[in-house]
Amino acid sequence: MRMESTVDLTDEALIDKYREEQDMALFKILVRRHQGRVFAVAYRLLGSSEEAEEIVQDCFVKVHQNLHKYRAHSTFSSWLLRICQNLCMDALRMRHRRKDIAAISFDPQAQGQEDENFGSGKPVTQVADAGPGPSQVLDQEEQTRIIEESIQRLPENQKIVLVLHDIQGLSYQQIADQVGTSIGTVRSRLHYGRLKLKEILDPYFSPENRTQPLKSR
Amino acid sequence: MEKPSQARKEDCPQIEEELDAYLDMELDDQRAEAIEQHLAVCGDCTGRLEELSALVSKLQALPEPPLPRDFGDLVEARIKATEQAQEIAPAELAAPVQVGTAKVFQFPRPLLVAAAALALVVVGATFFGSPSSKAPIATVPDQSVTQVAEKPALPVNVPKAVEHRQESSPAVAEKAVAPAPAPALKPSDNPHLVAQSQGKSVPSLTSPAPLAVSQPAPELIAEYDDIVGDGIDDYGISTNEDGLYAIKL
Protein backbone atom coordinates (compact mmCIF):
# COMPACT_ATOMS: atom_id res chain seq x y z
CA MET A 1 0.00 0.00 0.00
CA ARG A 2 2.83 2.31 0.92
CA MET A 3 4.53 1.67 -2.40
CA GLU A 4 1.41 2.64 -4.30
CA SER A 5 1.40 6.04 -2.69
CA THR A 6 5.13 6.68 -2.86
CA VAL A 7 5.44 6.10 -6.59
CA ASP A 8 3.34 9.21 -7.10
CA LEU A 9 5.66 11.41 -5.04
CA THR A 10 7.93 13.90 -6.73
CA ASP A 11 11.64 13.22 -6.79
CA GLU A 12 12.29 15.77 -4.12
CA ALA A 13 9.56 14.40 -1.86
CA LEU A 14 10.90 10.90 -2.35
CA ILE A 15 14.38 12.03 -1.34
CA ASP A 16 13.04 13.71 1.78
CA LYS A 17 11.14 10.58 2.67
CA TYR A 18 14.18 8.42 2.05
CA ARG A 19 16.29 10.65 4.28
CA GLU A 20 13.78 10.15 7.06
CA GLU A 21 13.09 6.45 6.70
CA GLN A 22 16.30 5.14 5.09
CA ASP A 23 14.15 2.65 3.23
CA MET A 24 16.02 1.37 0.21
CA ALA A 25 12.72 0.68 -1.57
CA LEU A 26 12.23 4.44 -1.80
CA PHE A 27 15.62 4.96 -3.35
CA LYS A 28 14.92 2.18 -5.83
CA ILE A 29 11.85 4.04 -6.98
CA LEU A 30 14.12 6.94 -7.88
CA VAL A 31 16.48 4.59 -9.68
CA ARG A 32 13.71 3.03 -11.72
CA ARG A 33 12.20 6.38 -12.51
CA HIS A 34 15.42 7.80 -14.00
CA GLN A 35 17.44 4.80 -15.13
CA GLY A 36 16.15 5.01 -18.69
CA ARG A 37 17.22 8.59 -19.16
CA VAL A 38 20.58 8.12 -17.51
CA PHE A 39 21.23 5.07 -19.64
CA ALA A 40 20.19 6.91 -22.80
CA VAL A 41 22.52 9.86 -22.13
CA ALA A 42 25.41 7.57 -21.23
CA TYR A 43 24.78 5.41 -24.27
CA ARG A 44 24.66 8.42 -26.60
CA LEU A 45 27.82 9.92 -25.14
CA LEU A 46 29.83 6.72 -24.92
CA GLY A 47 28.37 4.73 -27.78
CA SER A 48 28.62 1.52 -25.81
CA SER A 49 25.85 -0.32 -24.04
CA GLU A 50 28.23 -2.06 -21.64
CA GLU A 51 29.92 1.14 -20.57
CA ALA A 52 26.56 2.87 -20.27
CA GLU A 53 25.36 0.15 -17.90
CA GLU A 54 28.40 0.74 -15.71
CA ILE A 55 27.74 4.46 -15.75
CA VAL A 56 24.12 3.97 -14.67
CA GLN A 57 25.21 1.97 -11.64
CA ASP A 58 28.08 4.30 -10.75
CA CYS A 59 25.79 7.26 -11.16
CA PHE A 60 23.15 6.06 -8.72
CA VAL A 61 25.74 4.85 -6.22
CA LYS A 62 27.27 8.31 -6.35
CA VAL A 63 23.86 9.91 -5.98
CA HIS A 64 23.27 7.79 -2.89
CA GLN A 65 26.63 8.69 -1.41
CA ASN A 66 26.04 12.39 -1.97
CA LEU A 67 22.36 12.56 -1.26
CA HIS A 68 23.03 14.64 1.83
CA LYS A 69 24.55 17.30 -0.42
CA TYR A 70 21.53 17.55 -2.66
CA ARG A 71 19.58 20.73 -2.24
CA ALA A 72 16.20 21.26 -3.79
CA HIS A 73 17.15 24.54 -5.47
CA SER A 74 17.97 22.48 -8.55
CA THR A 75 15.80 19.69 -9.80
CA PHE A 76 16.87 16.18 -8.98
CA SER A 77 16.91 15.19 -12.64
CA SER A 78 19.34 17.97 -13.59
CA TRP A 79 21.57 17.08 -10.63
CA LEU A 80 21.44 13.45 -11.65
CA LEU A 81 22.19 14.31 -15.25
CA ARG A 82 25.18 16.38 -14.22
CA ILE A 83 26.61 13.46 -12.28
CA CYS A 84 25.98 11.18 -15.24
CA GLN A 85 27.64 13.62 -17.61
CA ASN A 86 30.70 13.95 -15.35
CA LEU A 87 31.04 10.19 -15.13
CA CYS A 88 30.78 9.93 -18.90
CA MET A 89 33.45 12.57 -19.30
CA ASP A 90 35.70 10.64 -16.94
CA ALA A 91 35.05 7.46 -18.91
CA LEU A 92 35.84 9.21 -22.18
CA ARG A 93 39.08 10.60 -20.75
CA MET A 94 40.06 7.18 -19.50
CA ARG A 95 39.28 5.73 -22.88
CA HIS A 96 41.46 8.33 -24.56
CA ARG A 97 44.29 7.63 -22.16
CA ARG A 98 44.02 3.92 -22.70
CA LYS A 99 43.84 3.99 -26.43
CA ASP A 100 46.02 7.04 -26.81
CA ILE A 101 43.61 8.45 -29.31
CA ALA A 102 44.11 11.98 -30.43
CA ALA A 103 40.66 13.52 -30.68
CA ILE A 104 40.11 15.83 -33.57
CA SER A 105 38.31 19.04 -32.88
CA PHE A 106 36.49 20.37 -35.88
CA ASP A 107 36.25 24.10 -35.99
CA PRO A 108 36.33 26.13 -39.18
CA GLN A 109 37.13 29.20 -37.12
CA ALA A 110 39.75 27.53 -35.03
CA GLN A 111 42.18 30.42 -35.11
CA GLY A 112 39.99 32.70 -33.08
CA GLN A 113 38.05 30.18 -31.04
CA GLU A 114 40.28 28.64 -28.45
CA ASP A 115 37.31 27.58 -26.40
CA GLU A 116 36.22 25.21 -29.09
CA ASN A 117 39.52 23.40 -28.90
CA PHE A 118 38.41 21.78 -25.69
CA GLY A 119 39.62 18.20 -25.61
CA SER A 120 42.89 16.85 -26.68
CA GLY A 121 43.25 17.22 -30.42
CA LYS A 122 44.31 19.88 -32.83
CA PRO A 123 41.46 21.72 -34.47
CA VAL A 124 40.95 21.08 -38.12
CA THR A 125 38.91 22.93 -40.61
CA GLN A 126 38.29 20.07 -43.02
CA VAL A 127 36.82 16.80 -41.97
CA ALA A 128 37.20 13.84 -44.26
CA ASP A 129 34.65 11.10 -44.12
CA ALA A 130 36.52 7.99 -43.11
CA GLY A 131 33.38 5.98 -42.58
CA PRO A 132 31.65 3.57 -44.88
CA GLY A 133 30.20 4.77 -48.15
CA PRO A 134 26.58 5.85 -48.33
CA SER A 135 23.96 3.38 -49.27
CA GLN A 136 21.00 4.11 -51.47
CA VAL A 137 18.26 2.89 -49.26
CA LEU A 138 18.51 3.02 -45.51
CA ASP A 139 15.99 1.34 -43.35
CA GLN A 140 15.16 2.87 -40.04
CA GLU A 141 17.48 0.62 -38.04
CA GLU A 142 20.41 1.27 -40.31
CA GLN A 143 19.71 4.97 -40.25
CA THR A 144 19.71 4.96 -36.46
CA ARG A 145 22.98 3.09 -36.39
CA ILE A 146 24.65 5.51 -38.79
CA ILE A 147 23.51 8.56 -36.84
CA GLU A 148 24.64 7.05 -33.56
CA GLU A 149 28.05 6.22 -34.98
CA SER A 150 28.34 9.67 -36.48
CA ILE A 151 27.58 11.29 -33.14
CA GLN A 152 30.48 9.35 -31.66
CA ARG A 153 32.82 11.01 -34.13
CA LEU A 154 32.09 14.46 -32.79
CA PRO A 155 34.50 16.15 -30.39
CA GLU A 156 33.41 15.55 -26.82
CA ASN A 157 32.37 19.09 -26.00
CA GLN A 158 30.19 19.32 -29.09
CA LYS A 159 28.80 15.85 -28.56
CA ILE A 160 27.69 16.61 -25.02
CA VAL A 161 25.87 19.77 -26.02
CA LEU A 162 24.28 18.12 -29.02
CA VAL A 163 23.10 15.10 -27.06
CA LEU A 164 21.75 17.17 -24.22
CA HIS A 165 19.93 19.57 -26.52
CA ASP A 166 18.81 17.68 -29.59
CA ILE A 167 18.22 14.31 -27.99
CA GLN A 168 17.49 15.06 -24.36
CA GLY A 169 15.69 18.32 -25.03
CA LEU A 170 17.49 20.57 -22.54
CA SER A 171 17.50 24.32 -23.11
CA TYR A 172 20.67 26.32 -23.71
CA GLN A 173 20.49 27.67 -20.17
CA GLN A 174 20.08 24.20 -18.67
CA ILE A 175 23.03 22.91 -20.67
CA ALA A 176 25.15 25.89 -19.68
CA ASP A 177 24.37 25.18 -16.03
CA GLN A 178 25.00 21.51 -16.52
CA VAL A 179 28.29 21.86 -18.32
CA GLY A 180 29.42 24.91 -16.38
CA THR A 181 29.83 27.29 -19.29
CA SER A 182 28.08 30.25 -20.90
CA ILE A 183 25.06 30.22 -23.14
CA GLY A 184 27.21 31.68 -25.91
CA THR A 185 29.58 28.72 -25.69
CA VAL A 186 26.69 26.30 -25.71
CA ARG A 187 25.31 27.96 -28.84
CA SER A 188 28.69 27.88 -30.52
CA ARG A 189 29.36 24.24 -29.68
CA LEU A 190 25.93 23.25 -30.87
CA HIS A 191 26.40 25.14 -34.13
CA TYR A 192 29.71 23.53 -34.95
CA GLY A 193 28.60 20.15 -33.71
CA ARG A 194 25.62 20.17 -36.04
CA LEU A 195 27.79 21.45 -38.86
CA LYS A 196 30.17 18.58 -38.50
CA LEU A 197 27.42 16.02 -38.02
CA LYS A 198 25.73 17.24 -41.16
CA GLU A 199 28.98 16.91 -43.05
CA ILE A 200 29.43 13.34 -41.82
CA LEU A 201 25.88 12.39 -42.61
CA ASP A 202 25.60 14.17 -45.95
CA PRO A 203 26.89 11.23 -47.96
CA TYR A 204 24.11 9.10 -46.53
CA PHE A 205 21.19 11.46 -46.53
CA SER A 206 21.62 14.17 -49.14
CA PRO A 207 19.12 13.70 -51.99
CA GLU A 208 21.70 13.68 -54.78
CA ASN A 209 23.73 10.96 -53.09
CA ARG A 210 20.77 8.70 -52.65
CA THR A 211 20.71 8.14 -56.36
CA GLN A 212 24.42 7.42 -56.45
CA PRO A 213 25.65 4.25 -54.79
CA LEU A 214 28.99 5.67 -53.79
CA LYS A 215 30.49 9.08 -53.71
CA SER A 216 34.18 8.98 -54.36
CA ARG A 217 36.20 11.10 -52.01
CA MET B 1 12.01 47.57 -43.26
CA GLU B 2 14.53 45.96 -45.54
CA LYS B 3 13.20 45.16 -48.97
CA PRO B 4 13.88 41.75 -50.51
CA SER B 5 15.98 43.29 -53.24
CA GLN B 6 18.19 44.84 -50.62
CA ALA B 7 19.24 41.52 -48.97
CA ARG B 8 22.96 41.60 -48.37
CA LYS B 9 24.97 38.49 -48.99
CA GLU B 10 27.64 39.64 -46.55
CA ASP B 11 25.09 39.07 -43.78
CA CYS B 12 24.84 35.36 -44.60
CA PRO B 13 27.78 34.13 -42.42
CA GLN B 14 26.38 35.91 -39.39
CA ILE B 15 22.87 34.69 -40.10
CA GLU B 16 24.13 31.17 -40.65
CA GLU B 17 25.72 31.11 -37.21
CA GLU B 18 22.48 32.22 -35.64
CA LEU B 19 20.27 29.81 -37.53
CA ASP B 20 20.72 27.11 -34.87
CA ALA B 21 19.59 29.39 -32.09
CA TYR B 22 16.77 30.66 -34.29
CA LEU B 23 15.60 27.12 -34.97
CA ASP B 24 15.84 26.30 -31.28
CA MET B 25 13.88 29.46 -30.41
CA GLU B 26 16.78 30.64 -28.26
CA LEU B 27 17.10 34.10 -29.82
CA ASP B 28 15.54 37.24 -28.52
CA ASP B 29 12.69 38.72 -30.52
CA GLN B 30 14.80 41.41 -32.15
CA ARG B 31 17.35 38.99 -33.59
CA ALA B 32 14.68 36.50 -34.58
CA GLU B 33 12.91 39.20 -36.54
CA ALA B 34 16.12 40.24 -38.29
CA ILE B 35 16.75 36.66 -39.32
CA GLU B 36 13.23 36.24 -40.63
CA GLN B 37 13.69 39.31 -42.75
CA HIS B 38 16.91 37.91 -44.16
CA LEU B 39 15.39 34.51 -44.78
CA ALA B 40 12.57 36.08 -46.68
CA VAL B 41 14.98 37.23 -49.37
CA CYS B 42 17.88 34.77 -49.12
CA GLY B 43 17.33 31.39 -50.71
CA ASP B 44 20.72 30.05 -49.57
CA CYS B 45 20.04 30.72 -45.91
CA THR B 46 16.52 29.35 -46.25
CA GLY B 47 18.00 26.18 -47.71
CA ARG B 48 20.48 25.93 -44.84
CA LEU B 49 17.69 26.32 -42.33
CA GLU B 50 15.75 23.49 -43.97
CA GLU B 51 18.81 21.23 -43.88
CA LEU B 52 19.42 22.10 -40.29
CA SER B 53 15.80 21.42 -39.44
CA ALA B 54 15.98 18.03 -41.16
CA LEU B 55 19.11 17.11 -39.20
CA VAL B 56 17.60 18.08 -35.87
CA SER B 57 14.45 16.15 -36.74
CA LYS B 58 16.54 13.04 -37.36
CA LEU B 59 18.26 13.43 -34.01
CA GLN B 60 15.02 13.99 -32.18
CA ALA B 61 13.52 10.96 -33.87
CA LEU B 62 16.26 8.66 -32.67
CA PRO B 63 14.64 5.87 -30.72
CA GLU B 64 15.46 5.66 -27.04
CA PRO B 65 18.04 2.92 -26.57
CA PRO B 66 16.36 -0.07 -24.97
CA LEU B 67 17.17 -0.45 -21.29
CA PRO B 68 19.12 -3.72 -21.05
CA ARG B 69 17.99 -4.48 -17.51
CA ASP B 70 16.42 -3.11 -14.38
CA PHE B 71 19.11 -1.42 -12.31
CA GLY B 72 17.17 -1.14 -9.05
CA ASP B 73 18.45 -4.32 -7.46
CA LEU B 74 21.94 -3.95 -8.92
CA VAL B 75 22.29 -0.46 -7.50
CA GLU B 76 20.97 -1.62 -4.13
CA ALA B 77 23.54 -4.43 -4.04
CA ARG B 78 26.35 -2.05 -4.97
CA ILE B 79 25.32 0.43 -2.29
CA LYS B 80 25.17 -2.26 0.39
CA ALA B 81 28.52 -3.67 -0.65
CA THR B 82 30.05 -0.21 -0.51
CA GLU B 83 28.62 0.45 2.93
CA GLN B 84 29.83 -2.90 4.26
CA ALA B 85 33.28 -2.30 2.89
CA GLN B 86 33.39 1.09 4.59
CA GLU B 87 32.37 -0.44 7.91
CA ILE B 88 35.00 -3.15 7.87
CA ALA B 89 37.72 -1.36 6.05
CA PRO B 90 40.36 0.66 7.73
CA ALA B 91 41.21 -0.88 11.09
CA GLU B 92 41.00 -4.57 10.45
CA LEU B 93 41.80 -5.22 6.88
CA ALA B 94 44.44 -4.25 4.46
CA ALA B 95 41.83 -3.39 1.90
CA PRO B 96 42.89 -2.70 -1.64
CA VAL B 97 42.50 0.93 -2.52
CA GLN B 98 41.88 2.09 -6.03
CA VAL B 99 44.58 4.53 -7.01
CA GLY B 100 44.03 5.51 -10.59
CA THR B 101 43.81 2.25 -12.45
CA ALA B 102 45.87 0.27 -9.96
CA LYS B 103 44.83 -1.39 -6.71
CA VAL B 104 47.18 -0.73 -3.85
CA PHE B 105 47.14 -2.54 -0.55
CA GLN B 106 47.28 -0.18 2.37
CA PHE B 107 47.97 -1.42 5.87
CA PRO B 108 47.05 0.60 8.90
CA ARG B 109 50.09 2.32 10.37
CA PRO B 110 49.86 0.67 13.85
CA LEU B 111 49.90 -2.75 12.23
CA LEU B 112 52.95 -1.86 10.24
CA VAL B 113 54.75 -0.64 13.35
CA ALA B 114 53.81 -3.78 15.27
CA ALA B 115 54.94 -6.00 12.43
CA ALA B 116 58.25 -4.19 12.18
CA ALA B 117 58.80 -4.47 15.94
CA LEU B 118 58.00 -8.16 15.89
CA ALA B 119 60.39 -8.73 13.02
CA LEU B 120 63.13 -6.94 14.91
CA VAL B 121 62.55 -9.05 18.01
CA VAL B 122 62.65 -12.28 16.04
CA VAL B 123 65.77 -11.31 14.17
CA GLY B 124 67.43 -10.11 17.33
CA ALA B 125 66.58 -13.29 19.20
CA THR B 126 67.85 -15.42 16.37
CA PHE B 127 71.19 -13.75 15.94
CA PHE B 128 72.00 -12.14 19.28
CA GLY B 129 70.06 -14.16 21.82
CA SER B 130 72.08 -16.00 24.49
CA PRO B 131 71.86 -19.78 24.04
CA SER B 132 72.16 -20.31 27.77
CA SER B 133 69.02 -18.38 28.48
CA LYS B 134 66.88 -20.85 26.57
CA ALA B 135 66.25 -24.51 26.64
CA PRO B 136 68.65 -26.24 24.30
CA ILE B 137 66.97 -26.16 20.96
CA ALA B 138 68.47 -27.30 17.79
CA THR B 139 66.56 -26.74 14.69
CA VAL B 140 66.52 -29.55 12.23
CA PRO B 141 69.16 -29.07 9.60
CA ASP B 142 67.91 -29.03 6.09
CA GLN B 143 69.53 -32.20 4.96
CA SER B 144 68.30 -34.21 7.90
CA VAL B 145 64.78 -33.01 7.41
CA THR B 146 65.02 -33.87 3.81
CA GLN B 147 65.92 -37.35 4.79
CA VAL B 148 62.96 -37.57 7.13
CA ALA B 149 60.60 -36.34 4.49
CA GLU B 150 61.73 -39.10 2.26
CA LYS B 151 59.80 -41.60 4.34
CA PRO B 152 56.55 -42.41 2.58
CA ALA B 153 54.56 -43.03 5.74
CA LEU B 154 53.78 -39.37 6.27
CA PRO B 155 50.04 -38.65 6.20
CA VAL B 156 48.93 -36.30 3.51
CA ASN B 157 45.53 -35.27 4.78
CA VAL B 158 44.88 -31.62 5.44
CA PRO B 159 46.74 -30.41 8.51
CA LYS B 160 45.01 -28.08 10.94
CA ALA B 161 47.37 -25.28 10.26
CA VAL B 162 46.69 -25.70 6.62
CA GLU B 163 42.96 -25.79 7.17
CA HIS B 164 43.22 -22.46 8.87
CA ARG B 165 45.13 -21.01 5.98
CA GLN B 166 42.65 -22.47 3.55
CA GLU B 167 39.95 -20.14 4.77
CA SER B 168 41.93 -17.06 4.09
CA SER B 169 43.86 -18.01 1.03
CA PRO B 170 42.74 -20.78 -1.27
CA ALA B 171 45.91 -20.52 -3.29
CA VAL B 172 48.12 -21.10 -0.29
CA ALA B 173 45.93 -23.89 0.98
CA GLU B 174 45.92 -25.58 -2.35
CA LYS B 175 49.68 -25.55 -2.32
CA ALA B 176 49.82 -26.91 1.19
CA VAL B 177 47.16 -29.59 0.75
CA ALA B 178 48.94 -31.07 -2.16
CA PRO B 179 51.36 -33.73 -1.05
CA ALA B 180 54.72 -32.22 -0.41
CA PRO B 181 56.83 -32.81 -3.45
CA ALA B 182 59.20 -35.60 -2.72
CA PRO B 183 62.65 -34.12 -2.79
CA ALA B 184 64.72 -35.54 -5.52
CA LEU B 185 67.32 -37.26 -3.43
CA LYS B 186 70.49 -38.43 -4.85
CA PRO B 187 73.00 -40.14 -2.63
CA SER B 188 75.58 -37.69 -3.77
CA ASP B 189 73.52 -34.83 -2.37
CA ASN B 190 73.36 -36.20 1.10
CA PRO B 191 76.41 -37.11 3.16
CA HIS B 192 74.36 -39.54 5.25
CA LEU B 193 73.23 -41.43 2.21
CA VAL B 194 76.66 -41.31 0.68
CA ALA B 195 78.18 -42.71 3.83
CA GLN B 196 75.51 -45.37 4.17
CA SER B 197 75.91 -46.45 0.59
CA GLN B 198 79.60 -46.80 1.23
CA GLY B 199 78.97 -48.92 4.30
CA LYS B 200 80.39 -46.35 6.68
CA SER B 201 78.89 -45.57 10.02
CA VAL B 202 77.15 -42.28 10.10
CA PRO B 203 76.15 -40.20 13.06
CA SER B 204 72.55 -40.71 13.93
CA LEU B 205 70.10 -37.88 13.74
CA THR B 206 69.83 -37.87 17.48
CA SER B 207 73.54 -37.79 18.11
CA PRO B 208 74.82 -34.99 20.29
CA ALA B 209 76.92 -33.66 17.49
CA PRO B 210 76.38 -29.95 16.97
CA LEU B 211 73.73 -29.26 14.40
CA ALA B 212 73.61 -26.42 12.04
CA VAL B 213 70.82 -23.96 12.75
CA SER B 214 68.53 -23.37 9.86
CA GLN B 215 64.83 -22.95 9.20
CA PRO B 216 62.81 -26.00 8.19
CA ALA B 217 61.03 -25.92 4.90
CA PRO B 218 57.46 -24.56 5.27
CA GLU B 219 55.78 -27.55 3.64
CA LEU B 220 57.44 -29.81 6.16
CA ILE B 221 56.15 -27.71 9.00
CA ALA B 222 52.69 -28.18 7.61
CA GLU B 223 53.19 -31.91 7.60
CA TYR B 224 54.55 -32.03 11.12
CA ASP B 225 51.62 -30.03 12.37
CA ASP B 226 49.41 -32.90 11.41
CA ILE B 227 51.44 -35.59 12.96
CA VAL B 228 50.12 -36.61 16.31
CA GLY B 229 51.75 -38.89 18.78
CA ASP B 230 53.52 -41.59 16.90
CA GLY B 231 54.57 -39.52 14.00
CA ILE B 232 56.72 -37.21 16.02
CA ASP B 233 58.06 -39.92 18.26
CA ASP B 234 59.18 -41.84 15.25
CA TYR B 235 61.48 -39.10 14.20
CA GLY B 236 62.46 -37.86 17.58
CA ILE B 237 61.20 -34.42 16.73
CA SER B 238 59.21 -32.20 19.02
CA THR B 239 58.30 -28.61 19.37
CA ASN B 240 58.84 -26.36 22.28
CA GLU B 241 56.40 -23.76 23.48
CA ASP B 242 57.69 -21.29 20.95
CA GLY B 243 56.69 -23.63 18.17
CA LEU B 244 60.26 -24.28 17.14
CA TYR B 245 61.14 -27.75 16.05
CA ALA B 246 63.78 -29.64 17.85
CA ILE B 247 65.31 -33.03 17.86
CA LYS B 248 65.34 -34.87 21.13
CA LEU B 249 68.83 -35.39 22.34
Side-chain angles (χ1 to χ4, degrees), chain B residues 104-182:
Chain B
V104 176
F105 280 84
Q106 287 188 340
F107 291 86
R109 190 176 292 270
L111 276 186
L112 283 176
V113 172
L118 184 63
L120 278 175
V121 168
V122 170
V123 169
T126 305
F127 290 102
F128 304 110
S130 166
S132 60
S133 63
K134 294 182 178 180
I137 297 171
T139 310
V140 179
D142 279 345
Q143 289 179 340
S144 301
V145 172
T146 306
Q147 194 175 11
V148 168
E150 192 184 19
K151 293 201 172 190
L154 286 173
V156 292
N157 51 345
V158 182
K160 287 180 184 175
V162 173
E163 283 176 349
H164 178 69
R165 287 186 210 167
Q166 199 167 12
E167 291 171 10
S168 57
S169 174
V172 173
E174 190 180 332
K175 186 180 174 185
V177 168

Side-chain angles (χ1 to χ4, degrees), chain A residues 24 28 32 35 39 43-44 53 57-58 64-65 94 109 165-166 172 190-192 194 198 205, chain B residues 17 20-21 24 26 51 55 58-60 63 66-71 73 76 78-79 83 101:
Chain A
M24 188 51 77
K28 282 162 77 174
R32 292 188 169 116
Q35 59 185 0
F39 178 78
Y43 177 76
R44 296 285 182 227
E53 284 186 45
Q57 294 178 58
D58 291 348
H64 186 266
Q65 286 171 342
M94 287 291 290
Q109 299 179 340
H165 186 276
D166 289 347
Y172 286 12
L190 190 59
H191 172 68
Y192 290 114
R194 284 172 175 170
K198 182 177 168 301
F205 295 108
Chain B
E17 280 199 12
D20 296 87
D24 299 331
E26 293 272 358
E51 288 175 359
L55 175 71
K58 283 191 183 75
L59 291 173
Q60 289 173 341
L67 199 64
R69 66 184 73 191
D70 173 55
F71 289 93
D73 295 334
E76 182 183 17
R78 284 270 306 266
I79 289 169
E83 287 175 348
T101 55

Side-chain angles (χ1 to χ4, degrees), chain A residues 4-214:
Chain A
E4 287 173 6
S5 61
T6 50
V7 291
D8 298 328
L9 291 175
T10 64
D11 294 338
E12 288 72 22
L14 260 177
I15 291 169
D16 286 342
K17 202 171 173 63
Y18 176 70
R19 281 170 171 161
E20 289 170 14
E21 301 179 11
Q22 292 295 309
D23 182 358
M24 188 51 77
L26 294 168
F27 189 76
K28 282 162 77 174
I29 293 173
L30 272 178
V31 173
R32 292 188 169 116
R33 189 178 286 179
H34 294 280
Q35 59 185 0
R37 192 174 193 201
V38 173
F39 178 78
V41 171
Y43 177 76
R44 296 285 182 227
L45 290 178
L46 299 172
S48 156
S49 184
E50 290 78 16
E51 282 184 273
E53 284 186 45
E54 284 294 317
I55 293 291
V56 174
Q57 294 178 58
D58 291 348
C59 185
F60 283 109
V61 169
K62 201 156 192 166
V63 164
H64 186 266
Q65 286 171 342
N66 294 286
L67 210 53
H68 61 284
K69 294 180 186 170
Y70 171 70
R71 299 288 178 270
H73 61 257
S74 67
T75 61
F76 175 74
S77 59
S78 64
W79 185 59
L80 177 69
L81 217 53
R82 197 175 313 138
I83 292 173
C84 171
Q85 179 218 319
N86 288 338
L87 288 170
C88 289
M89 290 297 294
D90 290 344
L92 285 169
R93 288 192 196 105
M94 287 291 290
R95 191 193 289 176
H96 280 301
R97 274 187 216 137
R98 278 200 303 268
K99 296 181 180 176
D100 199 21
I101 291 175
I104 297 173
S105 170
F106 172 70
D107 188 347
Q109 299 179 340
Q111 290 175 344
Q113 297 250 351
E114 286 303 312
D115 178 69
E116 290 302 316
N117 301 343
F118 174 87
S120 55
K122 292 179 180 177
V124 294
T125 53
Q126 298 289 322
V127 178
D129 181 16
S135 57
Q136 283 181 297
V137 180
L138 299 174
D139 60 15
Q140 188 63 35
E141 199 174 312
E142 182 72 353
Q143 183 171 316
T144 299
R145 186 187 64 79
I146 288 170
I147 294 173
E148 285 176 348
E149 287 177 0
S150 301
I151 291 171
Q152 295 308 312
R153 293 169 60 187
L154 295 176
E156 283 162 23
N157 56 347
Q158 296 170 6
K159 179 163 63 178
I160 288 172
V161 171
L162 188 133
V163 166
L164 292 180
H165 186 276
D166 289 347
I167 301 178
Q168 294 300 318
L170 269 63
S171 69
Y172 286 12
Q173 183 64 59
Q174 286 173 316
I175 297 170
D177 292 343
Q178 199 89 278
V179 178
T181 189
S182 67
I183 287 185
T185 304
V186 170
R187 185 196 291 183
S188 174
R189 289 177 182 174
L190 190 59
H191 172 68
Y192 290 114
R194 284 172 175 170
L195 208 61
K196 183 184 177 186
L197 190 62
K198 182 177 168 301
E199 194 165 328
I200 296 170
L201 291 173
D202 258 355
Y204 300 99
F205 295 108
S206 62
E208 61 267 29
N209 287 334
R210 287 190 180 181
T211 57
Q212 299 169 4
L214 279 173

